[in-house]
Amino acid sequence: MTTDAPSHLFILTGASRGMGRAMAEQLLAQPAHSLLCISRRQDPALEQAPHGAGSQVVQWAHDLSDAASAAQRLASWLDAMDSTRIASATLLNNAGVIARPAPLDEASAADVSHALRVGLEAPMLLCAAFLRATRQWQVARRVLNISSGLGRNAMASQAPYCAAKAGMDHFSRAVALEEAGRANGARICSLAPGVIDTDMQAELRGGDPALFPDRERFAQLHAKGQLTSPADAAARVLAYLARADFGDRPVADVRD
C-alpha cells in the first residue's frame, strides 16, 4: 500500500458482513486510510464502495480457524512495509462465531474448537504478530478487540462464545500491562459494542428453545426494535477507537 502522504493503517478481521462490513465501509470513506481486510471470503463490492482521497483496501480470503498461518502472513506483510509511510497503525479483531446454541455436553467438538480458534486464538496470534512487527514503528499503535456482554455475563448454551469473549477481555488486560511498560507501547481495549442486528442475532433467535432457554429474550429484542443497526454500531465503535482516552480502560463497553 502506497500513497502520496502517510496513511493511517487499519487491519480488520471479519469484514465481510455485519458490523465488520460497516466498519470497513466507514473507514474507507475517510481520507488517507489504508485498510487490510481478513475474512473468509473477499467482497468485490467493497472495492466499489466510496473511498476517501488516498484511501485503499486490500482483501485476504482466509479462514481464521487457521490462525497461525494468518498471523505469519500478517507479520511478513507488515515487515515488508515502509513504516515511514504510515501515520498510525491499528488492529481491529472483529471476527467471531457463535456455535449452534446448546448445552456444552451436547455441543460438537468441532463447534467448540472452531469457536475458540476464531474467537480467541486468532485474536491473540494476530495481536502478537501485529505488536511484534510494529514494535519499532514511531507511530501511535492501537489494538481494538470486539468483545461482548456475554464475555462478562454468562449465558446457558453459549459456553464456547462466552469463554472466547471472556478470554479476549482478560488477555487484553494482560497485554495492556505489558505495553504500559514499553516505550511507545500500544494502546489496547476489549470493547463490547452493544446488541446489534446481525446474522449472529438471527442464529440466536432461531435456536431450539429446548436447548437454549434465553431464545425468547433475543426474539423480543428484535421484535421490539431494540437492536442497533450494523452501521450505527460501527460508527459508535470507530468513534470510541478515535477517543483520546482509548486504552485507559483495557475492558470497556461502548455504552459506558
Side-chain angles (χ1 to χ4, degrees):
M1 292 180 177
T2 59
T3 60
D4 293 334
S7 62
H8 297 277
L9 173 64
F10 295 88
I11 301 153
L12 172 64
T13 69
S16 63
R17 61 179 184 170
M19 187 179 74
R21 180 61 162 74
M23 284 196 291
E25 286 189 351
Q26 291 175 26
L27 287 168
L28 274 177
Q30 299 300 311
H33 280 188
S34 291
L35 176 62
L36 168 63
C37 296
I38 308 174
S39 305
R40 282 182 297 174
R41 62 186 66 85
Q42 293 185 5
D43 181 358
L46 189 59
E47 306 281 350
Q48 307 304 316
H51 285 35
S55 291
Q56 52 193 313
V57 61
V58 170
Q59 298 187 69
W60 292 352
H62 197 108
D63 186 344
L64 288 175
S65 62
D66 180 10
S69 65
Q72 183 177 30
R73 184 179 182 186
L74 177 62
S76 297
W77 187 77
L78 289 169
D79 285 342
M81 189 167 289
D82 179 1
S83 64
T84 67
R85 309 300 302 168
I86 303 300
S88 67
T90 303
L91 170 66
L92 297 95
N93 281 309
N94 168 70
V97 294
I98 283 188
R100 180 181 67 91
L104 185 60
D105 61 358
E106 298 189 35
S108 73
D111 280 352
V112 173
S113 178
H114 185 65
L116 292 175
R117 284 184 177 277
V118 175
L120 183 56
E121 181 180 315
M124 291 188 75
L125 291 180
L126 291 172
C127 183
F130 172 80
L131 293 175
R132 187 165 48 244
T134 62
R135 174 70 56 211
Q136 302 304 318
W137 291 16
Q138 300 303 305
V139 301
R141 298 176 302 134
R142 296 167 297 180
V143 177
L144 173 59
N145 292 324
I146 299 300
S147 185
S148 169
L150 293 187
R152 301 157 201 182
N153 299 283
M155 177 175 288
S157 299
Q158 277 301 308
Y161 187 78
C162 289
K165 294 305 185 182
M168 173 177 276
D169 285 352
H170 215 44
F171 101 72
S172 298
R173 292 185 180 100
V175 172
L177 293 173
E178 295 163 2
E179 292 297 305
R182 290 173 165 164
N184 193 35
R187 307 280 285 174
I188 183 168
C189 180
S190 186
L191 184 69
V195 188
I196 309 165
D197 193 5
T198 63
D199 291 345
M200 284 188 180
Q201 284 288 323
E203 290 175 38
L204 293 172
R205 294 195 299 273
D208 183 345
L211 298 175
F212 185 38
D214 286 291
R215 174 187 178 277
E216 184 58 23
R217 169 188 165 192
F218 289 94
Q220 287 301 311
L221 286 172
H222 181 259
K224 294 178 180 179
Q226 295 177 334
L227 300 176
T228 306
S229 72
D232 287 346
R236 293 173 69 182
V237 166
L238 293 178
Y240 193 97
L241 176 64
R243 284 169 47 161
D245 64 348
F246 176 84
D248 283 0
R249 298 172 59 194
V251 174
D253 191 303
V254 76
R255 295 163 291 189
D256 293 342

